Amino acid sequence: MEDAQVWIEKGIDFIVTFGPRVIGAIIIYIIGSWVIKKLIGALRRVMEKSNYEESLKRFLMRLLTWALRILLILVVVDQLGVDVTTFAAVIAAAGLAVGLALQGSLSNFAGGVLILVFKPYKIGDLIEAQGTIGTVRLIDIFTTKLATPQNKLAIVPNGAMANGNIINYTALGQIRVDTVIGVDYASDIAQTKKVLMEVLTSNPRVLKEPAPTVNVMELADSSVNFAVRPYCKPEDYWQVYFDTYEGSKLALDAAGIEIPYPHRVQVQK
């Protein structure tokens, strides 16, 4: 009986000593969780109004959520009477170790944030970067995914993207298609320019503004080369490129204008 009485007294002392702390910790946790939920909701509304990129929005909300939850846990632990200095030191040391181990990833992360904030390109843009040409399919926080003209998926680290040169073929809404057509030296230049211009103006994918151009580009060894340069929408680039060469060949043939090609001369012995 005496042992039971002792345990009962110890239990009462524990409840009296730690009961208010535990109740206070529970109340702090409940209120803190409610405040975190409200803050995250307010952040989401602000980002939606500011038209943030979806990837950046998700990342920032997750980052803030975890930071607030860690802070709330530290406050709850402190309320229970546990020294949080040790926990803070452990978290700081872990953060430093992770940062040193993931320097490359952090560089990609920083690059991703810069890309999502300053928007040098967006999903659907045709870009050239890091030696790769492709259409942007996804902008993640660490990488950018491009679909190449060969329908291959290229995954490029955002650190390299943010620190390198980027050519955005879509940003201006139009792109020039550079082609070169060579004709025989005996061909009439004015007639050739007229025929090639008709090829461009008859193509519905070629823009009227800026106007296409046809100019003598080079007097080569065996041909007079014309710079044939139509403008089109970025998504029509390859079709206009192919149409220009095919249409030029057919039109020049119909006009009797020869396109030079190597001739083999057979020498009889």
Side-chain angles (χ1 to χ4, degrees):
M1 294 292 296
E2 291 182 358
D3 291 341
Q5 184 67 29
V6 170
W7 281 107
I8 292 173
E9 290 178 356
K10 288 183 177 180
I12 293 173
D13 290 341
F14 181 83
I15 292 173
V16 171
T17 303
F18 293 99
R21 292 184 178 181
V22 173
I23 294 173
I26 294 173
I27 293 173
I28 290 173
Y29 182 80
I30 294 173
I31 296 176
S33 298
W34 179 82
V35 171
I36 290 173
K37 183 178 179 180
K38 293 296 182 182
L39 287 174
I40 296 302
L43 177 63
R44 182 181 293 107
R45 289 190 294 272
V46 170
M47 287 186 173
E48 288 175 353
K49 292 180 180 178
S50 301
N51 195 26
Y52 274 73
E53 287 286 347
E54 187 63 28
S55 299
L56 180 60
K57 183 167 61 176
R58 288 198 307 268
F59 175 78
L60 290 178
M61 286 192 296
R62 288 176 184 173
L63 181 63
L64 181 61
T65 299
W66 280 107
L68 292 175
R69 285 178 179 174
I70 292 173
L71 180 61
L72 176 60
I73 290 173
L74 291 177
V75 173
V76 170
V77 170
D78 182 66
Q79 172 62 26
L80 292 174
V82 180
D83 186 8
V84 298
T85 305
T86 303
F87 285 94
V90 170
I91 292 174
L96 178 60
V98 171
L100 291 174
L102 301 176
Q103 289 184 15
S105 297
L106 291 176
S107 173
N108 293 331
F109 161 73
V113 172
L114 291 174
I115 290 169
L116 292 170
V117 170
F118 294 104
K119 301 179 181 179
Y121 53 83
K122 62 182 183 299
I123 293 175
D125 284 359
L126 177 64
I127 68 171
E128 179 179 354
Q130 299 302 308
T132 301
I133 297 177
T135 302
V136 180
R137 287 288 181 255
L138 178 66
I139 306 172
D140 208 344
I141 198 66
F142 291 104
T143 61
T144 294
K145 296 181 179 180
L146 306 176
T148 70
Q150 298 80 21
N151 203 31
K152 298 176 182 179
L153 182 64
I155 302 174
V156 186
N158 282 337
M161 295 290 282
N163 293 317
N165 295 330
I166 298 173
I167 301 175
N168 191 325
Y169 294 107
T170 304
L172 299 180
Q174 58 199 20
I175 186 171
R176 191 179 74 186
V177 182
D178 290 353
T179 60
V180 178
I181 306 294
V183 299
D184 189 85
Y185 266 92
S187 303
D188 182 87
I189 289 180
Q191 182 189 10
T192 302
K193 292 178 68 173
K194 180 181 178 182
V195 170
L196 293 175
M197 182 60 73
E198 288 175 352
V199 171
L200 302 182
T201 55
S202 63
N203 190 336
R205 291 187 176 89
V206 173
L207 299 177
K208 292 181 172 57
E209 290 294 335
T213 60
V214 177
N215 294 291
V216 175
M217 177 181 181
E218 179 186 17
L219 300 178
D221 292 339
S222 59
S223 64
V224 179
N225 293 335
F226 288 80
V228 182
R229 294 176 174 175
Y231 288 82
C232 65
K233 295 180 180 179
E235 58 268 26
D236 293 333
Y237 178 88
W238 287 111
Q239 191 59 55
V240 171
Y241 180 90
F242 297 137
D243 288 348
T244 300
Y245 275 111
E246 181 177 343
S248 297
K249 176 64 167 65
L250 295 174
L252 291 173
D253 286 348
I257 300 173
E258 183 179 353
I259 298 175
Y261 59 91
H263 294 272
R264 289 186 178 182
V265 178
Q266 186 175 3
V267 179
Q268 296 181 352
K269 295 183 180 180

